[in-house]
Amino acid sequence: INPHFLYNTLNIVNLMALEDVNDEVSKMLISLSEMLRYTFRNRQELVTFEEEYRWIRNYISIMQVRYEGRFEPCYEVEENVMERKLPKLLLQPLVENSIIHGFKGRESGGIVTRSASVRKERRVIVVRDNGRGMDPRELEAAMHGDHSRIGLGNAVRRLQLIYGGEGSLEVETCPGEGT
C-alpha cells in the first residue's frame, strides 16, 4: 500500500473522529500516523534517541488506550542523550514485553519506566516494569527466541551486529516484582 494513501486515509478518519468529538480516537490516529511516517520515511539503521523517543511515546499512547488503566508510563530521560544514535525501533519490543507479558492478568497499577542517560560515553537505556517478572526458564525462552516472544532475541542480535562486543542487552527480573 502506498504510504501516501495510508496518511490520507488516516487523516480522513481523524477528521471523522473530530466531527464526532471523539478525542481518544483522534489521538490514536495521530499517534499511528506519526509512527507510520517515521517507519516509512526514515530508512536508516541508526536514528537519534530523540526520534526513537517520539516514536515510542506514540506507541505507548496507543497501548494505553488498548490496555485502558492497566499501566502508566514514566519517563526519565537526560537531555544529553537526545542526539545520540541507536538502532531504529530497538525500544519497541522491550516496552511491548513489559505491557503485554509483564502486566498479563493485571487490571491496574502497572508502571513502565523508560530512562536514558550517558555514562562514560555509553548510552544506558532502561525499560523497567513492576509487572509479574519471569522465572529463569521464561527469561531463557524470551532471550533465545520462544516463537511467541522473539523481540528480545532480535534486539540482542541487532545490538551485536551493529556494535559487536560494545553493545549489550541485560535483563534483570524477579517473579512477582517486575523486569
Side-chain angles (χ1 to χ4, degrees):
I1 295 177
N2 182 326
H4 187 70
F5 169 79
L6 286 174
Y7 303 143
N8 286 341
T9 303
L10 289 171
N11 284 331
I12 290 167
V13 175
N14 184 41
L15 290 173
M16 293 168 65
L18 290 172
E19 284 176 2
D20 290 342
V21 192
N22 194 330
D23 294 335
E24 193 166 86
V25 170
S26 175
K27 182 179 173 184
M28 284 183 71
L29 287 166
I30 290 168
S31 292
L32 180 59
S33 181
E34 288 177 8
M35 290 171 68
L36 288 171
R37 275 190 183 89
Y38 174 71
T39 304
F40 289 137
R41 184 182 59 218
N42 188 341
R43 301 219 185 267
Q44 299 173 344
E45 178 73 28
L46 297 177
V47 295
T48 65
F49 183 82
E50 183 174 15
E51 292 170 302
E52 186 75 358
Y53 184 59
R54 268 196 311 267
W55 192 94
I56 204 69
R57 287 180 72 106
N58 283 318
Y59 175 79
I60 288 169
S61 174
I62 290 171
M63 294 301 274
Q64 279 187 283
V65 173
R66 182 176 172 193
Y67 294 100
E68 183 179 3
R70 189 178 292 183
F71 74 95
E72 289 295 323
C74 178
Y75 303 96
E76 301 168 357
V77 177
E78 293 179 7
E79 190 64 34
N80 65 349
V81 78
M82 289 300 193
E83 293 305 314
R84 303 292 178 121
K85 299 280 187 169
L86 76 157
K88 182 179 177 182
L89 301 176
L90 179 70
L91 301 178
Q92 187 273 335
L94 307 178
V95 172
E96 181 178 45
N97 280 349
S98 289
I99 296 167
I100 293 175
H101 300 293
F103 300 138
K104 188 175 189 174
R106 176 180 249 171
E107 294 300 317
S108 64
I111 299 172
V112 177
T113 303
R114 269 118 6 256
S115 64
S117 59
V118 176
R119 299 288 179 257
K120 297 182 182 177
E121 290 306 309
R122 292 180 65 102
R123 290 166 295 286
V124 178
I125 300 168
V126 178
V127 176
R128 178 181 301 122
D129 67 61
N130 64 341
R132 61 182 197 83
M134 293 182 277
D135 64 36
R137 260 189 353 262
E138 288 177 290
L139 178 58
E140 179 67 22
M143 293 295 288
H144 296 100
D146 174 340
H147 295 302
S148 66
R149 298 174 73 171
I150 60 171
L152 290 179
N154 282 343
V156 169
R157 283 187 291 283
R158 288 180 67 210
L159 287 169
Q160 290 170 346
L161 283 171
I162 293 168
Y163 298 110
E166 295 294 311
S168 65
L169 184 132
E170 298 171 17
V171 178
E172 295 176 13
T173 185
C174 183
E177 294 182 24
T179 303

